[in-house]
Amino acid sequence: MQKTTKMIVLILLAVLVVLLILAANQNYKLKERVTSVKHELTLSQIQWDLVQLEGAIAYQIESEWTQPSHVREKLGDVLQDIMVIRDLNSGVGFITKAESVLLDALYDQLSNYPHDNMVEPINELSAEEIDKLLKLRGALRDVEWGIGFSNSGHWDSFIEKLEHLLPQL
C-alpha cells in the first residue's frame, strides 16, 4: 500500500512538473509575441506615418502649400497611431512607464500642430502654422525620420529617436 501511495505521489509530482514547464513555455512564447508586436507596431505604424508626414511637408513646400490638408491628415495619422499603442498598452502593458511618458509627450507636442479634425478637410494654414510645420520637418529629418532614411523596426531605436526628437518640438 505504501509503495502504491508513493508511486501515485511521484506520478502526480511528475505531471505537475510537466504542467509547470508547459505553462512557463507558453508564458515565454506569449512574452516573445508581445515583444514582436511592439517592434512591428513602431515600424508599421508610428515610424511609417512620421516618415510620410515629413514627406507630405516636403511635397507641400515644393508645391507651395497647395494641399495643406494632406499634412494635417498625416499628422492626424501619427496621433491616431499613438492612441492605438496607448490603448494596447493599457490592456497588455508591453511598454515601460518611462516609454509611456515619452509617447504621451509626443502626443501632447504633436497635438499642438495643425492636424485634421476628422470631420472635414481644412485646406488652409496660417504663416505661423507653416513655420511650425517647417520646424517639425527639420526635427524629423534631424532624427532621421523622413524620406530617404532607413528606419529600424526595433522599439529601442524608436525610443532613442523619440528622446532626441522631443526637445526639438
Side-chain angles (χ1 to χ4, degrees):
M1 183 88 161
Q2 277 187 334
K3 279 188 172 186
T4 305
T5 305
K6 285 182 181 178
M7 280 302 262
I8 291 173
V9 169
L10 286 175
I11 290 172
L12 287 175
L13 283 175
V15 168
L16 183 60
V17 167
V18 168
L19 289 174
L20 287 173
I21 290 171
L22 288 173
N25 186 36
Q26 289 299 328
N27 189 40
Y28 175 77
K29 285 181 182 179
L30 179 62
K31 284 182 181 179
E32 287 295 310
R33 183 66 187 135
V34 166
T35 299
S36 173
V37 166
K38 180 167 79 169
H39 297 298
E40 289 171 18
L41 279 174
T42 61
L43 181 61
S44 66
Q45 294 293 315
I46 295 179
Q47 288 191 108
W48 176 250
D49 283 337
L50 285 167
V51 169
Q52 287 187 334
L53 172 62
E54 186 277 331
I57 295 169
Y59 179 76
Q60 290 307 309
I61 292 168
E62 290 174 14
S63 68
E64 299 180 6
W65 297 92
T66 57
Q67 284 292 105
S69 62
H70 184 63
V71 174
R72 289 177 181 271
E73 289 171 22
K74 289 300 163 193
L75 199 44
D77 290 347
V78 174
L79 293 171
Q80 186 176 8
D81 295 340
I82 296 169
M83 293 292 290
V84 167
I85 288 187
R86 287 160 119 183
D87 289 347
L88 283 172
N89 187 58
S90 69
V92 180
F94 62 87
I95 62 176
T96 67
K97 178 67 176 161
E99 293 167 341
S100 181
V101 166
L102 287 172
L103 275 178
D104 289 345
L106 179 62
Y107 184 87
D108 292 343
Q109 289 294 326
L110 293 180
S111 293
N112 294 321
Y113 290 84
H115 56 281
D116 62 352
N117 63 10
M118 311 250 321
V119 177
E120 64 182 67
I122 301 172
N123 209 29
E124 297 176 7
L125 289 173
S126 68
E128 181 182 327
E129 290 173 323
I130 289 173
D131 188 51
K132 280 183 78 170
L133 289 169
L134 293 174
K135 289 177 183 172
L136 174 59
R137 179 179 185 237
L140 290 170
R141 291 198 63 76
D142 187 53
V143 297
E144 298 183 350
W145 274 328
I147 303 298
F149 295 106
S150 64
N151 286 297
S152 164
H154 198 272
W155 182 258
D156 295 336
S157 170
F158 170 75
I159 293 298
E160 184 178 306
K161 286 183 176 188
L162 187 54
E163 289 172 333
H164 288 91
L165 176 68
L166 285 171
Q168 298 180 55
L169 299 181

